[in-house]
Amino acid sequence: MRAPLLATLALITLVSACSTVGQSRLNPFNWFGRSTEQQGTTAEVPAEVADRRPMVDQVISLRVDKLPGGAIVHATGLPPRQGFWDTDLVAENDGEPVNGALVYQFRIQEPAGAPPAGTQQSREVTVGRFLSDQRLEGITTIVVKAARNQRSVRR
């Protein structure tokens, strides 16, 4: 009677520990969660940013995909009309995290002329940036800024 009871208790303890590991920081799939949106960033260019391309109008999605040796930051932006090109995530503060937050500005080149506005799907632009594991040390939040909003993901 004692042996089956002890085996059952050991099995229950083992299974309950699995959910803890699944939600811990040891699980690489939990390193960065879903993105959250904040409204009202400014479109001003700080003096230390040499890139004079305008920021994209809105960041509509942000995700971080874990890879061997690092992670890829994917951001999707929505400019006001079609034809925008030459996207990049430009790091603020010389790429150094501030209070654990690594901040990027979503920069984009305007088209020549006045192309039509088009549908949202035809205007979306995507940019990515690889960050090594060494670069991710000490970073708890990644923020991508646009002219009208910003999105962030947290570990």
Side-chain angles (χ1 to χ4, degrees), residues 33-45:
R34 293 185 176 177
S35 68
T36 57
E37 181 180 10
Q38 296 85 32
Q39 297 290 329
T41 64
T42 63
E44 296 177 13
V45 178

Side-chain angles (χ1 to χ4, degrees), residues 1 15 18 32 39 42 66 69 81-82 87-88 93 101 105 107 115 118 130-131 135 138 140 146:
M1 179 79 173
V15 171
C18 290
F32 288 97
Q39 297 290 329
T42 63
K66 180 71 178 132
R81 60 186 191 278
Q82 294 177 344
T87 62
D88 197 11
N93 303 316
Q105 295 178 356
R107 297 284 175 175
F130 178 79
L131 301 173
R135 184 77 182 102
T140 57

Side-chain angles (χ1 to χ4, degrees), residues 38-113:
Q38 296 85 32
Q39 297 290 329
T41 64
T42 63
E44 296 177 13
V45 178
E48 70 271 4
V49 176
D51 194 334
R52 295 296 175 193
R53 292 177 293 177
M55 284 197 276
V56 73
D57 192 42
Q58 298 176 54
V59 179
I60 57 174
S61 73
L62 175 65
R63 75 177 196 273
V64 178
D65 293 336
K66 180 71 178 132
L67 296 173
I72 295 180
V73 177
H74 296 271
T76 302
L78 186 63
R81 60 186 191 278
Q82 294 177 344
F84 281 77
W85 59 287
D86 192 20
T87 62
D88 197 11
L89 292 176
V90 178
E92 290 185 355
N93 303 316
D94 294 323
E96 295 300 318
V98 176
N99 297 327
L102 185 58
V103 181
Y104 289 104
Q105 295 178 356
F106 194 140
R107 297 284 175 175
I108 192 165
Q109 186 64 46
E110 291 188 56

Side-chain angles (χ1 to χ4, degrees), residues 78-84 111 113-124:
L78 186 63
R81 60 186 191 278
Q82 294 177 344
F84 281 77
T119 64
Q120 177 176 333
Q121 291 83 6
S122 69
R123 293 180 294 158
E124 290 179 3

